Amino acid sequence: MATIALQDLGKTYAGGAPAVSGVSLDIADGEFVVLVGPSGCGKSTLLRMIAGLETITTGQVRIGSRVVNDLEPAERDIAMVFQNYALYPHMTVRQNLAYGLKNRRMAGAEIDRRVAEAAAILEIAPYLDRKPRQLSGGQRQRVAMGRAIVREPAAFLFDEPLSNLDAKLRVTMRGEIRQLQRRLGTTSVYVTHDQVEAMTLADRLVVLNKGRVEQIGAPLEVYRQPATVFVAGFIGAPAMNLLNAAREGGAVVLGGQALAVAAPPGAGPVVLGLRAEDLHPASPGTPGALDLAVTHVEELGAQRLVHGHVAGQPLVAAVTADLALADRLALGLNPRAAHLFDATSGRRLA
Amino acid sequence: MVERRPLLQAAAHLVLILGVLIVAFPVWLAIVASTHPQEAFQTGLIPVWPGSHAVENYSAMLGQGLSNLGAPPLGGMLWNSLVMALVIACGKIAISITSAFAIVYFRFRFRMLAFWCIFITLMLPVEVRILPTFKVAADLRMLNSYAGLTIPLIASATATFLFRQVFLTIPDELMEAARIDGAGPMRFFTDILIPLSRTNIAALFVILFIYGWNQYLWPLLITTDEGYYTIVAGIKRMAEAVDAIPVWNYVMAAAVLAMLPPVAVVILMQRVFVKGLIETEK
């Protein structure tokens, strides 16, 4: 059990652009933090810097009270779960779990106790004497987690551990990881590119883009108050509609039409963010309504996604499945659900 | 092939049977020749069916040898060959697996240079560098010794390259997992890498054992003392009788005996051998 503190952390590969820069983050004891971002955003690099598998160019990593920058991975008191499980193929499940403990010269009886305990928690006891290749993907994933649990480390580091599982199993394992982490109360850092996984697992989300932190916050906070255009477009499914608009005299103007959205004083181009689920059908001609030219419809069962254009810009709206559709659809919007971003800096306005 | 056409199958079998006959016929002749008395060859014809002198020929070769033709009893030569083949095979594997480990898993200065230097020696087999190698061995007083028979043949670019390829197929995550599990480089090597390359080691052992056993030119040069003769070079000495009739029955008996150890190695290790050559799953 420990806190993890990252201070102005940066990583530059020799002869390359910075992969991670200026990341500062304080992770509380027992907290579940998810690093999320598109591929190449530096989230895995950041995790591997915490693990000690990548060298640190600038800044500091503290685990508990120790600065661990120059410590070997094994000395950092962390355990890691890898994307491809990284189980030792020639060892049985039992040997896989015990290997890290054996290397630490732990007494045999204690090793047996911990392995049995982890096997019971993860329900892998029947497979202890099998080789990894005799296990299914989900079982291998459990063994990989077991290898982390037996160590009783200060922190768990997860590097996209569910991306090799099929969709259904992923949802189940997601729930199990969350429950397990709650139960053990071990500080965890989890990397994923899947924003649904990130939203459901995290106590706090760290959204990364191009090696920099875009926003840190609780999942709902990030969802409701995205700090930048990037976060707005990345978190949420379907992705938030981002429309180029302008503000004039305290109102937002889109395609020459003033919308019922209050804007902070000032003038100039803005990006208007509207979530598909915040748009609702309105009677044609309602002042401030958006006039959507429908191109196609995606059926999701409970609702349908209407794709189209407003003032020449693409837009998606989520409507109930029983709505009769024509070529054009008038959409009302909840003024409080509109997000406004500065068009040049990409930062949230108010 | 999943095609099932009788004509095609017959043709395939024909080709295979022909191949087996071509390979097996000389071996059959050698076995047959080793069972006849010496007079059987004086007609100039080689007998095709087994004779009755098998026991005498073999016991003569194993017991007394042909001292007048420079061939001591076969037991000693077989032993020398065995020692030579085993030391060469084990030495080559030990050296090449450690150098492949260094090249794949450590970042040191001139790493690629080291790799290419090893790789380039592929172009310099023993036969090409035989004079300088002999000179070095002679200067180091390695003539007529097991060290002289084996050490100059131990370095192996081929095996290093093979192990490098094997190690490159082992995912990096495994090494990282081992690092987090507290395994230092040497422990990773012994606990993970060696068990994972077990089948490759076995396959390579078979190939290298036969390579060592079949060495001919080098033992012929480096040994002048009967006590260090190897069987393959010994056969040559026997067949090359000056001013005498070659005793083909004895020569063939020696050849058959010389065949047995490699055959035994191949038969015993066949399964791992094939597995090691085709296995891709890691």
Side-chain angles (χ1 to χ4, degrees), chain A:
Chain A
M1 312 301 126
T3 57
I4 299 176
L6 313 181
Q7 243 171 57
D8 200 25
L9 210 55
K11 166 84 186 177
T12 310
Y13 288 105
V20 170
S21 56
V23 175
S24 293
L25 173 67
D26 284 307
I27 303 173
D29 185 15
E31 196 178 13
F32 199 120
V33 167
V34 176
L35 309 178
V36 64
S39 45
C41 71
K43 56 190 189 299
S44 279
T45 310
L46 186 56
L47 187 80
R48 293 163 58 83
M49 285 160 77
I50 301 175
L53 297 171
E54 295 278 358
T55 54
I56 293 166
T57 317
T58 60
Q60 218 179 43
V61 177
R62 301 167 71 92
I63 298 177
S65 53
R66 292 186 304 167
V67 175
V68 297
N69 281 35
D70 298 321
L71 293 184
E72 273 290 301
E75 299 163 341
R76 294 189 180 196
D77 198 18
I78 46 102
M80 189 153 166
V81 179
F82 292 88
Q83 182 173 358
N84 298 312
Y85 323 129
L87 301 176
Y88 310 119
H90 58 293
M91 297 186 191
T92 62
V93 170
R94 186 190 304 279
Q95 289 167 327
N96 263 288
L97 296 184
Y99 187 63
L101 304 179
K102 242 192 205 149
N103 285 340
R104 288 179 170 72
R105 301 177 194 286
M106 192 176 281
E110 174 69 4
I111 294 180
D112 291 344
R113 188 189 68 73
R114 288 198 185 187
V115 169
E117 195 181 296
I121 293 175
L122 294 164
E123 294 162 20
I124 50 172
Y127 321 122
L128 275 180
D129 293 310
R130 295 205 197 157
K131 295 272 177 71
R133 67 166 170 276
Q134 296 163 298
L135 303 178
S136 70
Q139 288 165 343
R140 288 183 204 189
Q141 189 54 61
R142 279 164 203 269
V143 176
M145 305 219 318
R147 194 165 59 179
I149 292 175
V150 290
R151 292 262 319 282
E152 298 178 4
F156 289 144
L157 306 178
F158 297 92
D159 190 3
E160 308 209 15
L162 301 182
S163 52
N164 279 359
L165 302 177
D166 64 58
K168 202 176 158 200
L169 197 54
R170 203 178 303 165
V171 175
T172 326
M173 290 300 291
R174 195 165 80 197
E176 286 186 18
I177 290 181
R178 190 68 185 107
Q179 282 176 17
L180 187 69
Q181 195 270 342
R182 284 260 161 80
R183 191 164 144 198
L184 300 172
T186 309
T187 312
S188 300
V189 184
Y190 187 108
V191 161
T192 181
H193 62 266
D194 179 345
Q195 51 99 10
V196 179
E197 214 170 286
M199 293 284 289
T200 50
L201 281 171
D203 289 328
R204 263 199 306 164
L205 276 182
V206 178
V207 185
L208 289 159
N209 184 31
K210 295 177 185 158
R212 294 186 165 277
V213 173
E214 292 273 338
Q215 187 171 7
I216 300 176
L220 271 186
E221 183 188 328
V222 174
Y223 181 80
R224 288 187 181 144
Q225 297 271 307
T228 64
V229 171
F230 174 81
V231 178
F234 189 76
I235 299 288
M240 187 190 280
N241 297 296
L242 296 168
L243 304 165
N244 292 314
R247 53 179 168 164
E248 279 169 22
V252 175
V253 178
L254 176 67
Q257 180 197 4
L259 302 178
V261 175
V270 291
V271 173
L272 171 65
L274 295 168
R275 292 212 182 269
E277 53 270 32
D278 289 330
L279 296 165
H280 51 83
S283 49
T286 311
L290 299 169
D291 181 27
L292 181 72
V294 178
T295 53
H296 65 282
V297 177
E298 281 181 313
E299 294 287 357
L300 297 180
Q303 57 177 12
R304 46 170 63 151
L305 299 179
V306 184
H307 293 254
H309 294 276
V310 164
Q313 300 183 56
L315 185 92
V316 184
V319 298
T320 50
D322 51 0
L323 181 76
L325 284 170
D327 285 351
R328 304 200 82 83
L329 178 65
L331 291 168
L333 51 97
N334 175 358
R336 292 177 55 190
H339 307 268
L340 280 182
F341 304 95
D342 187 281
T344 41
S345 73
R347 305 215 61 89
R348 186 179 190 86
L349 296 168

